[in-house]
């Protein structure tokens, strides 16, 4: 897959397009959340990842509003904490209110509650989708077996699974299983969990005049994995989005995939 601008998306099962690169906001509080989202939208990101647990939805919402972009131009994900099982509708209403929006684009179960799939929670997510409060629904940190449990109980698969992902944990079998389930793979902590000094990465980066971080993010884009890097520094927010002006060769992709072996 080759993406040439920042706006290419992946189609979720609901027919909604999610931009391949989003801006992560975990651990960005107050001004850092506001300034980070403002910078990201200014630079060209059109996808923001937050969560009830991050405690920054109000600052994220303010930044989206102040950006001057239309609500429909920014893809917003938020997540329901596992501890809020049984209070899903109230949790989503609180997210909508904090963000200051009528709907979100993607709502995720943040973690399997106590390691369980919880089809009852998933049913509440389906209800929210049917009410139009979210355009798509998915999960995070779910195994394939847990996804199967949701499908068996409700007939509806999550549109997406947000999981830790980078070349060092790449696993072809997991990719194939999610694809077979029509579940889009979204990677989190792409940089933090990577060895940015790895010689394969630095060699490929040097060949393209790019940084190791950019090679990792480009690797996601070429595979069609959604990815949500986070930074509190404007220059890095910019760096992490400047990955649409080069392409990895098939051999480079193979070498990066092999880091996960
Ligand atoms: N669903 C889940 O359970 C879950 C879990 C974790 C994360 N997430 C989501 O995924 C997003 C990303 O994951 P993450 O925040 O854990 O980690 P990350 O984006 O992989 O890494 C963030 C760290 O990398 C640094 N960094 C950013 N850009 C860099 C660059 N170009 N070169 C070198 N270092 C760079 C940042 O420092 P500076 O700020 O100093 O630049 C920060 O310390 C989160 O913000 C959140 O939205 C979801």
């Amino acid at each position: 897959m080759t993406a040439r601008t920042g706006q290419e998306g992946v189609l979720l099962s609901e027919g909604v397009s999610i931009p391949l690169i989003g801006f992560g906001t975990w651990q960005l509080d107050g001004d850092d959340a506001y300034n980070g989202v403002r910078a990201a939208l200014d630079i060209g990101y059109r996808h923001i990842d937050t969560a009830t647990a991050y405690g920054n939805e109000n600052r994220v919402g303010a930044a989206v509003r102040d950006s001057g972009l239309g609500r429909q131009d920014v893809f917003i994900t938020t997540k329901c904490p596992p501890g809020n099982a049984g209070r899903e509708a109230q949790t989503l209403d609180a997210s909508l209110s904090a963000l200051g929006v009528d709907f979100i684009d993607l709502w995720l179960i943040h973690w399997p509650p106590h390691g369980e799939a919880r089809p009852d929670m998933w049913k509440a997510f389906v209800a929210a989708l049917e009410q139009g409060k979210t355009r798509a629904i998915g999960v995070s940190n779910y195994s394939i077996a847990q996804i199967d449990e949701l499908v068996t109980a409700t007939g509806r698969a999550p549109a997406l699974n947000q999981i830790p992902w980078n070349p060092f944990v790449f696993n072809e079998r997991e990719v194939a299983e999610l694809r077979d389930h029509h579940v889009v793979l979204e990677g989190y902590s792409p940089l933090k969990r990577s060895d940015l000094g790895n010689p394969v990465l630095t060699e490929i980066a040097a060949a393209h005049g790019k940084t190791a971080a950019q090679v990792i993010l480009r690797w996601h884009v070429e595979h069609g994995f959604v990815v949500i890097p986070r930074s509190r520094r404007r220059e890095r927010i910019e760096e992490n989005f400047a990955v649409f002006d080069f392409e990895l060769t098939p051999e480079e992709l193979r070498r990066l995939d092999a880091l996960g072996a």
Side-chain angles (χ1 to χ4, degrees), residues 22-34:
F23 180 65
T25 67
W26 183 41
Q27 294 179 324
L28 297 186
D29 305 321
D31 286 349
D32 279 341
Y34 180 84

Side-chain angles (χ1 to χ4, degrees), residues 22-28 48-51 54 79 108-111 139-141 162-165 186-194 196 211-214 217 227-237 239-240:
F23 180 65
T25 67
W26 183 41
Q27 294 179 324
L28 297 186
I48 310 293
D49 183 85
T50 181
Y54 300 170
K79 317 185 190 81
L108 305 178
I109 301 180
H110 205 148
W111 288 86
V139 293
S140 181
N141 301 301
Q162 186 181 112
I163 54 176
W165 199 246
E186 178 173 44
Y188 72 69
S189 305
L191 307 174
K192 200 173 65 184
R193 293 179 184 233
S194 292
L196 297 180
T211 64
Q214 288 172 318
L217 298 170
V227 64
I228 45 175
R230 178 249 317 178
S231 176
R232 43 170 52 82
R233 308 188 206 179
R234 186 182 170 105
E235 67 274 16
R236 282 183 170 172
I237 299 173
E239 172 186 334
N240 295 343

Side-chain angles (χ1 to χ4, degrees), residues 200 204 248-257:
V200 173
I204 294 172
L248 299 168
T249 66
E251 175 58 16
E252 288 169 340
L253 275 174
R254 266 193 298 278
R255 291 179 70 199
L256 292 166
D257 290 355

Side-chain angles (χ1 to χ4, degrees), residues 106-221:
L106 178 63
W107 194 33
L108 305 178
I109 301 180
H110 205 148
W111 288 86
H114 301 293
E116 291 174 9
R118 292 294 295 265
D120 58 316
M121 198 171 180
W122 187 237
K123 282 180 187 158
F125 269 57
V126 174
L129 179 72
E130 289 169 354
Q131 288 162 11
K133 291 184 175 181
T134 180
R135 295 171 69 219
I137 50 176
V139 293
S140 181
N141 301 301
Y142 269 58
S143 66
I144 295 291
Q146 288 167 332
I147 289 173
D148 275 333
E149 206 180 312
L150 300 184
V151 176
T152 303
T154 65
R156 181 182 280 273
L160 174 151
N161 192 18
Q162 186 181 112
I163 54 176
W165 199 246
N166 62 58
F168 299 93
V169 299
F170 176 75
N171 174 336
E172 184 59 58
R173 189 177 48 80
E174 196 166 357
V175 174
E177 282 178 344
L178 286 171
R179 192 173 48 230
D180 291 348
H181 284 71
H182 305 289
V183 177
V184 167
L185 192 163
E186 178 173 44
Y188 72 69
S189 305
L191 307 174
K192 200 173 65 184
R193 293 179 184 233
S194 292
D195 171 12
L196 297 180
N198 177 282
V200 173
L201 266 182
T202 53
E203 186 194 315
I204 294 172
H208 292 277
K210 291 285 180 180
T211 64
Q214 288 172 318
V215 169
I216 289 178
L217 298 170
R218 180 70 204 183
W219 172 85
H220 283 79
V221 165

